[in-house]
Amino acid sequence: MKKFLKNTLLFLICTALLFNMTGCMRRNKDEKTIAVVAKGESHAFWQSVKKGARDAAEKYGYSITFRGPASESAKDLPSQQEMVQSALSNNADALVLATIGEGFSDMLIQAYDKKIPVVAFDSGIWENDIEALNDAGKNPIVANVATSNRLASALAAEHFYEELKDDIADSEGTFIVGVIQHDQTQTGIDRAGGFIDEFTALANASDDTKGKFKIELEIKPGDADNAYKAALEALFEKGAKAVFMTNEGVVKQVYDAMGAAGEKYDDIEFCGFDAGSKQIEWVRADKGGELIGAVAQNSYEIGYNAVEQAVFAIEGKDVDPDVEISGAWWDENNVDQMIKDKLVYEG
């Protein structure tokens, strides 16, 4: 009898284990995966994007993979291309992608052939690749989710011009406004261009400032070798009295350069883009060259909305082909609330 009970108990345990294993295998087999390939992974901005992406995936019952290259410079383009190819080879159910350069058209044609929908996010996919996809009649991109970089930097221009207009009007010579463009990607181009166009339009619309300013642009391929510190010095030599910086990396280097230079740059006023601990520290500081404020992306919402659109595409629901995440101005007056609202990130 004891042997019978022992054998029966063993049978029930084995049956339960087999059932659970079968259930796990079934869930794993049925689970859908969205591959997110970003322009980075370790930076605080991308960590915020990642959190938004994970939250959306969890809400809709999906899993995600999140990968990004070591940097956003051209040298890491092959690494990012490998990440995209890996996602396609593993038959992800959707791909969410922001590229750091050209050369993805052949892979995206594979996505089209495999019926893998692609959501472009943040700076998206370069124009030449999109043209190649359209020419082939095999464009898998179903949605674009991003901050409007031109509109966001135009917002920065509005606030910066308001701060500078009296100084421009009172200037005895030409008032130099510098712009440090962080790289040559479409993001850098749009941020610098959006700022320059809006600032120029505003300044030319007023008789007090029209013809009394000049914008000097410094374009750098990335933040290696203190490139942004060099850009600041170049603008200083040109007599810049104001500088717009197109991303957090520029802000960090410029802030460090100011700290090491004593009072050298104290007569320059600054305006930033993005967020981060150093930028928050600077905007709160009441000394040296003033950071009057910055325009922030809602990085969490970018990640969340990108994955959400990918889910809708997989499930055959209506997809919004163009999701614009608006930027928001922040300065010393509202920075604490912006941090609370997750529009301004620390780190």
Side-chain angles (χ1 to χ4, degrees), residues 58-315:
E58 183 178 348
K59 174 183 176 180
Y60 291 104
Y62 285 72
S63 65
I64 68 163
T65 59
F66 194 104
R67 301 180 70 190
S71 76
E72 297 184 24
S73 63
K75 67 181 178 65
D76 285 311
L77 180 60
S79 171
Q80 192 185 42
Q81 289 172 330
E82 181 277 326
M83 293 172 186
V84 172
Q85 186 59 63
S86 176
L88 297 173
S89 298
N90 289 329
N91 294 314
D93 294 283
L95 173 64
V96 175
L97 178 63
T99 62
I100 59 175
E102 298 176 354
F104 290 85
S105 58
D106 289 345
M107 281 176 273
L108 293 176
I109 286 173
Q110 291 179 44
Y112 181 92
D113 290 339
K114 289 187 170 188
K115 295 181 171 54
I116 298 174
V118 176
V119 174
F121 80 126
D122 188 51
S123 60
I125 296 161
W126 284 39
E127 188 174 343
N128 285 345
D129 280 339
I130 294 175
E131 288 178 358
L133 296 172
N134 291 335
D135 289 343
K138 292 186 174 184
N139 189 339
I141 303 169
V142 297
N144 289 277
V145 178
T147 299
S148 172
N149 284 303
R150 290 192 65 89
L151 292 178
S153 58
L155 177 62
E158 290 177 21
H159 285 269
F160 211 20
Y161 173 73
E162 189 65 28
E163 180 74 18
L164 299 173
K165 64 182 182 181
D166 290 341
D167 292 335
I168 297 173
D170 294 339
S171 178
E172 293 182 2
T174 301
F175 190 97
I176 305 299
V177 179
V179 175
I180 302 177
Q181 181 179 318
H182 64 278
D183 62 21
Q184 294 172 299
T185 65
Q186 198 61 49
T187 300
I189 293 167
D190 287 347
R191 290 184 184 181
F195 176 88
I196 291 169
D197 289 349
E198 182 66 15
F199 194 98
T200 300
L202 291 169
N204 283 337
S206 170
D207 291 337
D208 293 333
T209 54
K210 184 177 181 180
K212 300 197 71 176
F213 73 99
K214 181 181 180 182
I215 296 178
E216 293 281 357
L217 175 63
E218 287 286 327
I219 304 173
K220 296 299 177 183
D223 61 0
D225 302 320
N226 292 318
Y228 305 143
K229 292 181 182 180
L232 173 64
E233 181 60 25
L235 292 173
F236 175 79
E237 293 295 331
K238 294 176 181 178
K241 295 297 183 183
V243 174
F244 172 62
M245 304 165 288
T246 62
N247 81 347
E248 182 189 352
V250 180
V251 175
K252 284 182 175 180
Q253 276 197 22
V254 169
Y255 191 39
D256 288 344
M258 288 180 55
E263 299 178 356
K264 181 176 181 177
Y265 304 118
D266 281 5
D267 292 334
I268 301 175
E269 292 188 272
F270 295 88
C271 178
F273 204 114
D274 292 328
S277 296
K278 282 198 174 181
Q279 197 157 185
I280 293 168
E281 177 184 327
W282 189 1
V283 86
R284 286 171 170 163
D286 188 22
K287 60 181 179 179
E290 181 186 5
L291 180 67
I292 71 155
V295 64
Q297 300 185 78
N298 193 330
S299 46
Y300 176 89
E301 288 296 331
I302 290 173
Y304 188 96
N305 279 271
V307 168
E308 184 174 60
Q309 295 304 315
V311 169
F312 292 167
I314 293 169
E315 297 181 353

Side-chain angles (χ1 to χ4, degrees), residues 2-22:
K2 288 182 179 180
K3 185 176 181 180
F4 172 78
L5 290 173
K6 182 178 179 181
N7 289 339
T8 302
L9 181 60
L10 182 62
F11 173 78
L12 291 173
I13 291 173
C14 291
T15 302
L17 287 172
L18 181 62
F19 177 80
N20 287 335
M21 290 175 63
T22 303

Side-chain angles (χ1 to χ4, degrees), residues 301-345:
E301 288 296 331
I302 290 173
Y304 188 96
N305 279 271
V307 168
E308 184 174 60
Q309 295 304 315
V311 169
F312 292 167
I314 293 169
E315 297 181 353
K317 298 178 180 177
D318 290 338
V319 174
D320 187 342
D322 191 12
V323 181
E324 287 194 339
I325 309 298
S326 60
W329 177 258
W330 64 279
D331 54 30
E332 63 179 344
N333 297 312
N334 68 345
V335 60
D336 292 328
Q337 185 61 45
M338 294 286 277
I339 292 171
K340 182 178 178 181
D341 293 341
K342 297 181 180 178
L343 288 173
V344 169
Y345 56 84

